[in-house]
Amino acid sequence: MDSYISNSPDETLELGRSWAAEVSAGWVIGLMGDLGTGKTQLVKGLAAGLGIEATVNSPTFALLQEHDEGQLPLAHIDLYRLETPAEIVGAGLEHFLTAPDGVAAVEWFERWLFADWKPGQPLPESARPANGTTLRLVKLTDEGETQRRIVYEDFGG
Ligand SMILES: Nc1ncnc2c1ncn2[C@@H]1O[C@H](COP(=O)(O)OP(=O)(O)OP(=O)(O)O)[C@@H](O)[C@H]1O
Ligand SMILES: [Mg+2]
């Protein structure tokens, strides 16, 4: 488990950028944390690190934004408006959450399976990543106006 304190939006961006060198096809980055904790900021950094020049925003209206011009395809997903795993499956997103072709960065991953997961806890059996898939679970918390705690742990591979 890695724990990181970010003291500015830029530091969060740089952390995301550094992840671009760690990921490969089949990675799911599951981002959990309240509104405004920096999930999109991390994805912006990841996208920049993958050489994606398009603007990366919270996908407010689209559930899914795909960026295919970088070193790896990046699917940016926001589950905020979906309330249950059944709705997520119904929206056709399951493939991205379990076995993406490239990298999937998923905001509000709590909506999928792990509403109660806390860093350091094992994953439920049903949530084990498929062979060849790595799940990086990321928990962001607001520690002050410009401070964020970012704890993350990788499963599978
Ligand atoms: N250390 C920090 N890291 C990241 N963002 C920070 C930090 N300090 C302040 N901020 C501010 O917090 C906000 C984070 O916004 P961001 O859109 O990344 O959050 P989010 O978790 O994606 O929220 P949402 O759930 O609404 O999608 C921005 O306004 C950013 O400027
Ligand atoms: Mg966001």
Side-chain angles (χ1 to χ4, degrees), residues 36 38-41 57-59 76 78 107-108:
K39 300 180 293 295
T40 300
Q41 195 68 13
N57 288 314
S58 275
H76 182 196
D78 193 329
E107 301 193 36
W108 290 96

Side-chain angles (χ1 to χ4, degrees), residues 5-13 33-42 44 58-59 78 80 107-108 140 142 144-148 150:
I5 297 286
S6 163
N7 288 298
S8 69
D10 273 354
E11 285 185 17
T12 300
L13 191 95
D34 288 340
L35 290 167
T37 45
K39 300 180 293 295
T40 300
Q41 195 68 13
L42 267 177
K44 284 183 187 189
S58 275
D78 193 329
Y80 182 64
E107 301 193 36
W108 290 96
L140 300 95
D142 194 326
E145 205 171 322
T146 60
Q147 199 173 79
R148 304 287 185 270
I150 302 168

Side-chain angles (χ1 to χ4, degrees), residues 33-35 39 59-60 63 77-84 87-88 106-111:
D34 288 340
L35 290 167
K39 300 180 293 295
T60 310
L63 294 169
I77 294 169
D78 193 329
L79 301 177
Y80 182 64
R81 272 158 293 105
L82 299 176
E83 300 206 336
T84 62
E87 279 186 29
I88 294 167
V106 187
E107 301 193 36
W108 290 96
F109 202 71
E110 295 94 327
R111 300 282 195 265

